[in-house]
Amino acid sequence: MKIPGFPGSKNKIAIRPDRKSKSLIPQLTSWHPWLRQLLDWTVTSGSVLLCLLMLPTRLPGMELLGIGPNWLLIWVVAWSVKRSVFEGALAGIVLGLLQDAMTSPNPTHAISLGIVGMLTSLIQKQRFIQEDFISIALIVFGMAVVADTIFAVQLSILGGSCGEQCVRKVEDIWTYYQRVALASAILSSLWAPVVYYPLNRWWQQMKLINNS
């Protein structure tokens, strides 16, 4: 005795692969190139604005020793990992100036983020590290240490310009930024996939659409 199957079950199984292969993004191929470019700029600039707004935010799991993830540094790494050295450095400088506008321009964040963008482009261009979540997390960890070290050097130069009275201040700066660099590097590397995955997927899809 055969057990009757559910009607239409075979058809549903056959349709599923087609549905899975379809995506909303390929529908953008019918859009005008200028509209697609405008949408791409909107998504990119919107992600930058979101990272700027997230900088002072301290949600559960986003704080270690009073330090939060460096969202702008994560964005610079995500942008620079598949782009030229010039594009990476330019993006870092622009985002650094935006961070200066929110915090303080002295010392500036443009130098540290510009160097981060340049180094990230060089690392990926030489193919020293394969591109996956673990590799991106490692890059973000190293670049966070580099950025905080450069920032501490700037503070030391400014603090040590007043003579012997500032020697103690310089020592305090380096003691403090050793903890800051480690906490920021750990948190930024853990949260890096949250920024990297959606942005990288979006930029890949847009590149495929523009090249098709």
Side-chain angles (χ1 to χ4, degrees), residues 34-212:
W34 281 105
L35 289 177
R36 289 201 305 267
Q37 189 65 48
L38 179 61
L39 179 62
D40 189 23
W41 288 341
T42 302
V43 171
T44 301
S45 58
S47 64
V48 173
L49 179 60
L50 181 60
C51 288
L52 281 171
L53 295 177
M54 289 293 292
L55 278 179
T57 305
R58 294 293 184 268
L59 298 177
M62 291 187 181
E63 186 176 2
L64 181 62
L65 301 177
I67 307 300
N70 193 335
W71 298 104
L72 291 181
L73 182 140
I74 298 173
W75 195 98
V76 171
V77 171
W79 169 269
S80 306
V81 75
K82 286 187 176 181
R83 287 173 173 83
S84 65
V85 175
F86 175 77
E87 290 174 322
L90 180 62
I93 293 173
V94 172
L95 266 66
L97 294 176
L98 291 176
Q99 188 172 358
D100 290 344
M102 291 186 61
T103 55
S104 173
N106 193 17
T108 179
H109 296 84
I111 297 176
S112 57
L113 289 182
I115 293 176
V116 164
M118 180 181 64
L119 292 178
T120 303
S121 300
L122 287 174
I123 290 174
Q124 190 61 25
K125 190 172 183 180
Q126 296 297 331
R127 295 295 188 271
F128 292 128
I129 300 179
Q130 295 296 325
E131 184 186 346
D132 54 28
F133 286 161
I134 297 178
S135 300
I136 295 300
L138 290 175
I139 294 175
V140 170
F141 184 93
M143 294 304 158
V145 174
V146 170
D148 286 326
T149 302
I150 294 172
F151 196 77
V153 169
Q154 294 182 76
L155 282 177
S156 300
I157 294 174
L158 294 175
S161 60
C162 57
E164 295 181 358
Q165 297 178 354
C166 297
V167 173
R168 182 59 182 171
K169 183 184 295 185
V170 172
E171 293 178 356
D172 293 339
I173 288 173
W174 281 102
T175 301
Y176 173 73
Y177 268 91
Q178 286 176 2
R179 298 195 299 269
V180 169
L182 183 59
S184 177
I186 292 174
L187 284 176
S188 299
S189 61
L190 290 176
W191 285 95
V194 176
V195 177
Y196 173 77
Y197 178 76
L199 285 178
N200 181 63
R201 183 172 176 81
W202 170 260
W203 289 329
Q204 280 184 336
Q205 292 291 340
M206 292 302 297
K207 185 177 181 180
L208 290 174
I209 291 173
N210 292 331
N211 293 336
S212 61

